[in-house]
Each structure stands twice: as structure tokens, then as C-alpha cells.
Amino acid sequence: ARNFFCWCEMVIVVEQGAQVCRNATVTGNVVIGSGSLIHPTSVISSPSGKIVIGSKSMVEECAQIKNTGVGTMSIGSDIESSSVGDGTIIQAKARVNAGCVIGDGCVIGICVEVPPNTIVPNHTVLFQDASHSRTVTELGKRNTKLCHDEIDFITSKKLLESNHRLYEVGKHE
């Protein structure tokens, strides 16, 4: 089941089981997959293209995901345009710019800004100013498990909904 919200004159699709905090900023054509968590003060913006966030994905506080191109940016799936791979964690205050291709099992560290059109190979950790990186081969499986465990914990304890106002799935704003 899909539910549609309209924020800032664009259609936002929030699939069943996703939780989106009211003080997150979501603009443009965005699809938020089932079971995903969009934390407060995060920004998801796509003024002319589209952003698709896969199921069981998490966008943390102050993280920014912006697609300024006309294509689709996909998070949690594998397609040919700008994408963020499966099992990737984008940490608080990180920023992924237009045209970036982030591989599977990566970590974009706290406050890291990934420059436009950057290709980040699978299993890469970016830290400090994005020019510092290392490769960890088992990162993808570990990240996927960590994401799923954290999402399960947050939703089972109802942490977001007891501490933040959420958009209600099935209601049009």
C-alpha cells in the first residue's frame, strides 16, 4: 500500500510502515520505502529529478540528500543513474551531492560532504573531509544488519513516534 503526501507543491510517496518526522524537510518527487525512518532535521530534496529511498532505510538527523539532476537518485537499490547502494549508512550531518554514485556497504561519516559526481567504490568508509577513506570488505553485511537492528529497535520501542510528531500514513496534508 502506498500513501501520498503533498509537501511544497510536489508529491511525496510514503509506503506503509515508513516513519517520517514532521520536522524533516522533504521536497520534490520522493518515494520513501516501507519500514524506512526519516529522522528530524534531515533534508531530502529533489527539485527537478526524483529520489527513491528503498525499504528499511534510515536517514539520520541533519543528513542531506539532494538530487539536483533530472534523473532518479535511488537509495537502497541498484540502477544506472546516481545511486546509493544497499547496506550503506549516511551518518548525521553528511551530505551527498548531485551525480554521486555510492557503492554497496559504504559509510559516509558524520559531517562528510561528498563532492558532486564522485564515485565511491563498494565497502568504502569516507571520513573527515571525504578525501580520507579506507576499504573494509565485510562492511556491507555488517551495515545491513546494523540498519535493520536499529530500525527494528526504534520502531518496536516507538521511539520516534513518542518523541516527535510524525506524518500519519494514509492522511493527505
Side-chain angles (χ1 to χ4, degrees):
R2 289 183 166 200
N3 296 285
F4 299 90
F5 293 100
C6 187
W7 298 317
C8 302
E9 300 179 11
M10 296 295 243
V11 175
I12 310 298
V13 177
V14 179
E15 293 184 349
Q16 193 67 35
Q19 295 184 355
V20 181
C21 288
R22 284 187 178 268
N23 57 346
T25 301
V26 182
T27 61
N29 293 315
V30 179
V31 176
I32 299 171
S34 64
S36 293
L37 302 178
I38 310 302
H39 283 261
T41 67
S42 59
V43 176
I44 302 169
S45 174
S46 186
S48 53
K50 183 176 184 177
I51 296 175
V52 178
I53 298 176
S55 63
K56 290 268 189 178
S57 295
M58 184 169 31
V59 180
E60 294 186 356
E61 290 87 348
C62 299
Q64 295 185 35
I65 300 172
K66 294 185 178 182
N67 181 10
T68 56
V70 294
T72 297
M73 174 186 280
S74 180
I75 299 170
S77 337
D78 185 19
I79 63 169
E80 292 183 20
S81 64
S82 299
S83 66
V84 178
D86 292 334
T88 290
I89 297 174
I90 301 172
Q91 294 185 328
K93 295 188 177 183
R95 183 175 182 167
V96 178
N97 285 297
C100 292
V101 176
I102 311 295
D104 293 336
C106 294
V107 174
I108 309 302
I110 295 170
C111 296
V112 169
E113 180 170 351
V114 183
N117 303 311
T118 299
I119 297 174
V120 180
N122 291 346
H123 314 294
T124 300
V125 179
L126 293 180
F127 54 98
Q128 290 180 342
D129 61 3
S131 64
H132 293 81
S133 67
R134 65 183 174 142
T135 302
V136 181
T137 55
E138 290 300 312
L139 209 50
K141 291 178 188 173
R142 183 192 73 98
N143 287 356
T144 300
K145 183 177 178 354
L146 283 174
C147 279
H148 288 192
D149 289 350
E150 186 170 346
I151 289 168
D152 290 343
F153 176 78
I154 289 171
T155 54
S156 69
K157 300 291 184 188
K158 300 184 187 259
L159 294 178
L160 278 182
E161 54 194 278
S162 62
N163 293 298
H164 300 282
R165 291 182 60 215
L166 302 178
Y167 284 97
E168 294 182 45
V169 175
K171 283 193 171 181
H172 297 286
E173 296 290 321

